[in-house]
Amino acid sequence: MVIKRSRHFIAFLVVCCLAHRSSAQTDKLTLDECYRLARANYPAIKKMNLITRASAYDIQNANKRFLPQVNFSGQATYQSQTVNFSDAVGTLPGVSFPSVSKDQYRVQGEVSQLLYDGNNTRYQKELITADKDLQEQNLETGLYAIKNRINNIYFSVLLMEAQLKQNELNKANLQTQVQKTEAALENGTAFRSSLDELKAEIVNIEMAGTEYRANRIACLKMLSLFIGKELQDSIQLEIPETTNIQTSINRPELKLYDLQRSVYDVQRKQLRSGYLPQVSAFLQGAYGRPTLNIIDNKFGPWYVAGLKFNWSLGSLYSLANKKNMLILNQRSVDTDRETFLLNTRLDLTQQDEQVKKFTELIQQDEEAIALRAAVTRSAEAQLNNGVITIHEYIQKVNAEHLARQNELLHKIQLLQARYNQKFISGN
C-alpha cells in the first residue's frame, strides 16, 4: 500500500514538473517567434490569398477565349424592293418566275471556335501571372518592414529588463548599507541624517524602477498588438543570438524590381500578337424567308460553315513607339534598383560604424566599471572608518551604478545594431 502511494506521489510530481515546464516555456518569447506572429497577425497578409484567387479567375477567363462562342440573332424586315426575275429576264410563254416577298424573316444562330489568336491568350496569361507575382512581392516588401518595428520594440523591452535588474542590484547594495547604518545609529556611532539620506536614495532608485517597469509594460502592450497575442508582465524575452552578418544584400525589394522588369518583358512579347492574324471556324444555322435559295420564296432552314481570317496591320504604326516606351520603363526600374542598392549600402556602412562604436564603448565601459567598483569598495571602507560621509559614499555608488547602466545600454544597442544590419541587408 505504501509502495502504491509512493508511486502515485512520484507520478504526481512528474506531472507537476511537466506542467511547470510547459508553463515556463509559454512564458518565454523569442525574436523569431515575434516575426512569425506579427506576419500572421498583420491585416495585409489576408491580401495574399485574395491576390492568388483573383489571378486564378483572370486566367480562367483568358482560357475561355478558346471555348466555342454561341450567338443568336433574329430580324424581321420589310423592304421597298426585291429581285424581280420577270423584269430581268422578260416574259416567256408558259414560264412563270417566282417573286421574292418584301417582308422577310430570319432567326439565326452562330457557333464560332477560335483556332489561332497570334498567341495573345498565352501572353495575357503570362502577364496575369507576372502581375500576380509582382503584387505578392510588393506585399512581401511591406510585411518585411514590420521586422524593423518589431526590433525596436523588442530591444526596448530587453533594455528595460536589464536596467531593472541593475537597479535592483544597486538597491540591494544600498539596503545593506542601511542595515549597517541602523546598527551604527543604535550604537551611537552614526547620525540619523545619514540613515535618512540612504533611504532617500533608495526611494530615488525605486522611482527609477517604477519608470522602467512602466516603459516595459508599454512596450509589451505595443508588441502584443503587433503579434496578436496578449503578453503578461511575467513574460521573458529571450536575448537573440549574435550571428555573423552576411555582406550580400538580399532584400525583398530587389526581387520586386526583377518582377517589374519581367512584367515589361511580357508586355513587349504581347505586342507581337497585335500584328499577327487571327483564325477561327464558324457554323451558322438559320430559319426564315427567304432561304439561301431566294428563288424558292418559302420559309425554310439553311446553314453556312467555314473559316474566318482576320489580319489587321494597324498596330504596326505604333509598334516601335510602344517598344521604346517599355524599354524606357525597364531602364527606370533599373535606376530605382541602383538607387535602392546605393541607399542600402550607405545604411549598412552607417550600421557598421555603429557596431564598431558600441564594441569600443563596451570595452571602455568594462574598464570604467572596474575602476568605479574599486572606488566604491574603497569608499565603503572609508565610510566604515568614518573618513567620508554617507553623501560622498552615495556619489561613488551612483557613479558605479551609472557605469553599469551605460554598459547595459551599449550591449543592447550593439545587439540591436547587429540585427539592424541583418534587416538592412535582408539576411
Side-chain angles (χ1 to χ4, degrees):
M1 188 70 178
V2 175
I3 295 175
K4 289 184 178 180
R5 289 183 177 178
S6 62
R7 287 179 179 175
H8 289 307
F9 181 70
I10 293 173
F12 175 75
L13 288 178
V14 171
V15 172
C16 289
C17 290
L18 291 176
H20 176 72
R21 183 178 179 182
S22 63
S23 63
Q25 289 177 350
T26 56
D27 288 338
K28 292 184 179 180
L29 187 65
T30 64
L31 182 57
D32 289 336
E33 188 177 0
C34 287
Y35 291 155
R36 180 180 59 82
L37 293 174
R39 176 186 173 86
N41 181 63
Y42 204 65
I45 194 64
K46 299 176 183 177
K47 293 177 63 178
M48 195 72 75
N49 183 43
L50 299 178
I51 293 172
T52 303
R53 292 173 59 185
S55 175
Y57 290 142
D58 289 337
I59 291 179
Q60 290 177 8
N61 291 334
N63 287 329
K64 290 177 180 179
R65 288 194 62 194
F66 280 90
L67 292 177
Q69 305 296 316
V70 181
N71 295 315
F72 293 98
S73 62
Q75 65 179 23
T77 62
Y78 181 86
Q79 55 196 62
S80 61
Q81 188 176 4
T82 61
V83 177
N84 191 326
F85 294 98
S86 298
D87 295 341
V89 179
T91 304
L92 297 177
V95 178
S96 62
F97 294 97
S99 62
V100 181
S101 301
K102 293 183 179 181
D103 56 322
Q104 300 182 2
Y105 308 91
R106 175 185 298 182
V107 177
Q108 177 177 305
E110 179 179 350
V111 179
S112 62
Q113 172 65 57
L114 182 64
L115 301 179
Y116 179 70
D117 66 345
N119 293 325
N120 183 52
T121 301
R122 189 186 77 179
Y123 295 141
Q124 185 179 358
K125 290 192 292 185
E126 289 183 9
L127 184 61
I128 292 171
T129 302
D131 186 65
K132 175 187 76 73
D133 295 339
L134 179 62
Q135 292 185 57
E136 289 179 347
Q137 189 61 28
N138 191 27
L139 182 58
E140 285 287 350
T141 302
L143 293 173
Y144 184 78
I146 301 176
K147 289 186 176 181
N148 190 36
R149 304 177 70 178
I150 295 295
N151 285 345
N152 293 332
I153 300 174
Y154 193 93
F155 287 107
S156 295
V157 175
L158 290 181
L159 178 60
M160 294 299 108
E161 291 177 348
Q163 289 178 328
L164 274 171
K165 292 178 181 178
Q166 177 57 33
N167 212 48
E168 291 300 320
L169 291 176
N170 192 34
K171 178 181 175 181
N173 183 28
L174 288 180
Q175 285 177 337
T176 301
Q177 194 61 42
V178 166
Q179 295 174 357
K180 293 181 180 179
T181 305
E182 286 176 345
L185 182 62
E186 292 178 356
N187 295 328
T189 57
F191 295 102
R192 170 66 63 178
S193 60
S194 298
L195 180 61
D196 292 340
E197 189 169 2
L198 282 172
K199 290 183 177 180
E201 189 62 28
I202 290 177
V203 172
N204 289 334
I205 293 176
E206 291 175 345
M207 291 173 62
T210 300
E211 185 174 356
Y212 293 147
R213 280 188 290 271
N215 291 337
R216 178 180 179 274
I217 292 174
C219 291
L220 285 178
K221 288 182 178 179
M222 293 175 61
L223 190 59
S224 297
L225 292 176
F226 267 106
I227 67 177
K229 176 182 178 181
E230 185 176 357
L231 300 178
Q232 302 296 330
D233 296 345
S234 60
I235 192 74
Q236 294 181 2
L237 302 188
E238 294 188 0
I239 298 178
E241 296 180 358
T242 303
T243 57
N244 295 328
I245 307 300
Q246 299 180 11
T247 57
S248 60
I249 299 176
N250 298 311
R251 287 285 292 270
E253 288 86 347
L254 297 180
K255 186 177 180 180
L256 181 66
Y257 294 132
D258 293 338
L259 291 174
Q260 287 177 341
R261 282 187 57 88
S262 67
V263 168
Y264 294 133
D265 285 335
V266 176
Q267 288 178 345
R268 188 163 53 183
K269 290 191 296 184
Q270 196 177 24
L271 292 177
R272 303 172 188 170
S273 61
Y275 58 82
L276 292 178
Q278 294 188 0
V279 180
S280 60
F282 70 94
L283 172 63
Q284 293 178 352
Y287 182 86
R289 186 185 68 185
T291 62
L292 295 180
N293 182 10
I294 60 174
I295 297 178
D296 187 10
N297 189 32
K298 296 179 180 180
F299 283 92
W302 73 90
Y303 72 90
V304 177
L307 295 175
K308 288 182 180 179
F309 176 79
N310 184 26
W311 194 355
S312 176
L313 300 178
S315 61
L316 292 175
Y317 299 134
S318 59
L319 180 63
N321 289 335
K322 290 180 179 179
K323 285 184 177 180
N324 291 332
M325 285 295 297
L326 293 175
I327 292 174
L328 291 177
N329 290 337
Q330 286 186 327
R331 290 179 180 176
S332 177
V333 172
D334 293 338
T335 302
D336 292 340
R337 179 191 178 96
E338 293 175 3
T339 303
F340 174 77
L341 286 174
L342 175 61
N343 291 331
T344 303
R345 293 190 184 100
L346 291 174
D347 292 338
L348 283 175
T349 301
Q350 183 180 6
Q351 286 302 316
D352 289 342
E353 294 302 319
Q354 291 290 318
V355 169
K356 293 178 182 179
K357 179 185 74 173
F358 292 130
T359 302
E360 186 176 353
L361 284 174
I362 290 173
Q363 295 176 352
Q364 296 173 349
D365 287 332
E366 293 175 351
E367 297 176 1
I369 289 173
L371 294 174
R372 291 294 181 184
V375 171
T376 301
R377 288 193 298 270
S378 176
E380 185 176 358
Q382 292 175 356
L383 178 64
N384 294 334
N385 294 325
V387 177
I388 62 175
T389 63
I390 286 291
H391 181 72
E392 292 172 325
Y393 171 74
I394 291 175
Q395 287 181 332
K396 303 298 188 293
V397 171
N398 286 341
E400 180 187 354
H401 174 65
L402 180 61
R404 294 186 183 276
Q405 291 279 29
N406 287 335
E407 183 189 32
L408 292 174
L409 175 61
H410 294 153
K411 284 183 176 179
I412 298 297
Q413 287 176 330
L414 174 62
L415 189 58
Q416 185 172 1
R418 291 188 180 277
Y419 271 81
N420 285 341
Q421 283 180 319
K422 294 178 64 176
F423 170 78
I424 294 172
S425 63
N427 295 309

